[in-house]
Amino acid sequence: MLNPQPIINQVLDHPLLEEKEVELSIKRLDWVHEMVPGNKFFKLKYNLEKAIRENKKTLLTFGGAYSNHIHAVANAAHFLGLNAIGIIRGEETLPLNPTLSDAKSKGMRLHYISRSQYRGKTDDSFIEELHDLFGDFYLIPEGGTNSEAIKGTQEILQEEDQSYSHISVSIGTGGTFTGILQASQSNQMILGFSSLKGNFIKKEIDKLIEDYSINPKDQFQVITDYHFGGYAKYDQSLIEFIWWFFESFGIVLDPVYTGKMLFGLWDLIKKGYFPKGSKILVIHSGGIQGNRGFTFQTGIKLPSL
Ligand SMILES: *Cc1c(COP(=O)(O)O)cnc(C)c1O
């Protein structure tokens, strides 16, 4: 199995935090595992256990060409001696970007499908076609959110974390947010920053809460003001913020998830959103592997390790 490193909450020092009298710590999930860092470690943990228990030899999953999930599944499979198949949205472009080139070098078989085919990725008939092509496999949905993932992400919070008043997390599918919500205390406020445009994510979260019988809780807020135009969209202010954060704290953020969340969180701190005495814990969900792909695609340099 994958063994995690001890998880550290790093306290951040900054004059703004003193001025506003709030405490800010960052949970370094980016350090939880060398090969499978970030929230993907927790999302995959029980899926991997289940795959092995069911004697599956192959993992199959879906993702875009820069997907942290694809990268994590390829690494995890390699680490555990399983085969991996990545169903990739869109056409193959060569040279492969760093994410797919890593995945391939770890032995993942890449299978490209059109965007319209990709939309049918959860249809039974399509899954059957994949079984005809590839035989038996353990299926992990796109983004990795399923009941095993919700179970795993509950382990992101530890007992010591009960003292925080606010917990901040980035939202893609919302699986990580949902697990954290389930594991939180009733006096804690969970803030989810959506990396996607629009309010539909609020419905998705409500659905996850219902589907996974998360204790009805109202101590959360889904914030949709910091998507920068949509998933994987960005502007100069986001790039500057990521550099500023790196220079201030020595912590690398990514432009898709953690950069947007911390941009939003910092903005809310500035605007006085948090009462004096708040103790905020922000989850660094990883995703740094994607920075090379971002530079590959845009030519814009980002901090890296
Ligand atoms: C995948 C990912 C997320 C989104 O997680 P969900 O459970 O899909 O909401 C957030 N941050 C990073 C760095 C990720 O790679």
Side-chain angles (χ1 to χ4, degrees):
M1 269 296 114
L2 304 178
N3 290 315
Q5 295 293 319
I7 300 167
I8 295 154
N9 292 349
Q10 181 182 345
V11 181
L12 302 184
D13 279 323
H14 190 275
L16 178 72
L17 302 171
E18 274 174 44
E19 182 201 317
K20 300 292 183 187
E21 295 180 42
V22 298
E23 198 184 299
L24 180 60
S25 300
I26 183 162
K27 189 181 279 295
R28 301 296 304 268
L29 299 188
D30 51 329
W31 285 344
V32 72
H33 195 278
E34 196 183 340
M35 304 280 288
V36 190
N39 63 337
K40 301 303 184 279
F41 177 91
F42 296 90
K43 295 188 82 169
L44 289 175
K45 176 179 170 179
Y46 289 107
N47 278 295
L48 299 170
E49 282 190 21
K50 190 172 175 201
I52 289 169
R53 200 167 59 238
E54 291 178 355
N55 250 315
K56 304 286 184 185
K57 303 283 180 271
T58 302
L59 306 175
L60 180 142
T61 196
F62 305 86
Y66 296 91
S67 164
N68 295 328
H69 171 69
I70 287 287
H71 197 261
V73 170
N75 277 354
H78 180 74
F79 197 83
L80 298 171
L82 297 168
N83 303 314
I85 300 166
I87 309 297
I88 310 299
R89 183 182 59 226
E91 277 165 34
E92 180 181 41
T93 53
L94 295 172
L96 291 180
N97 75 48
T99 301
L100 293 183
S101 144
D102 280 2
K104 196 170 178 193
S105 77
K106 291 286 156 46
M108 182 180 255
R109 180 167 170 189
L110 303 175
H111 180 77
Y112 298 86
I113 61 175
S114 71
R115 282 163 194 278
S116 65
Q117 270 181 305
Y118 196 85
R119 280 191 283 275
K121 63 189 173 299
T122 56
D123 298 350
D124 290 345
S125 59
F126 184 58
I127 305 296
E128 246 168 68
E129 270 176 51
L130 291 173
H131 277 295
D132 290 343
L133 272 174
F134 300 114
D136 189 37
F137 52 72
Y138 181 88
L139 183 118
I140 306 174
E142 184 194 39
T145 291
N146 57 12
S147 59
E148 281 69 30
I150 306 278
K151 182 176 170 199
T153 52
Q154 290 177 42
E155 296 175 7
I156 291 173
L157 290 189
Q158 296 155 298
E159 220 171 299
E160 310 86 88
D161 299 334
Q162 296 183 1
S163 64
Y164 293 96
S165 58
H166 296 78
I167 297 167
S168 167
V169 59
S170 172
I171 294 179
T173 63
T176 306
F177 175 85
T178 304
I180 285 176
L181 185 63
Q182 173 73 336
S184 66
Q185 304 296 308
S186 58
N187 58 348
Q188 295 181 310
M189 170 57 89
I190 315 304
L191 301 176
F193 288 83
S194 178
S195 56
L196 298 103
K197 186 174 175 171
N199 278 323
F200 77 96
I201 193 70
K202 295 186 179 176
K203 286 209 184 77
E204 296 280 312
I205 298 286
D206 288 341
K207 189 169 182 309
L208 285 169
I209 287 174
E210 192 169 320
D211 288 355
Y212 294 104
S213 315
I214 307 300
N215 292 338
K217 286 177 177 176
D218 49 12
Q219 78 270 13
F220 71 87
Q221 209 176 338
V222 177
I223 296 164
T224 55
D225 305 329
Y226 300 98
H227 56 71
F228 289 85
Y231 186 74
K233 299 274 185 3
Y234 64 95
D235 70 12
Q236 190 56 28
S237 70
L238 179 64
I239 306 300
E240 280 167 15
F241 177 83
I242 289 172
W243 276 107
W244 170 82
F245 197 86
F246 179 65
E247 279 149 19
S248 304
F249 305 113
I251 298 172
V252 179
L253 303 175
D254 79 289
V256 181
Y257 296 106
T258 58
K260 289 180 181 180
M261 169 185 58
L262 270 148
F263 185 104
L265 186 71
W266 201 258
D267 193 45
L268 292 182
I269 293 172
K270 267 198 253 174
K271 288 175 172 162
Y273 173 94
F274 295 96
K276 285 195 168 93
S278 293
K279 275 188 76 178
I280 308 162
L281 177 65
V282 50
I283 310 295
H284 193 315
S285 42
I288 294 164
Q289 73 82 24
N291 287 14
R292 298 162 309 157
F294 182 83
T295 302
F296 175 91
Q297 199 182 26
T298 64
I300 299 171
K301 215 172 157 310
L302 286 174
S304 61
L305 294 175

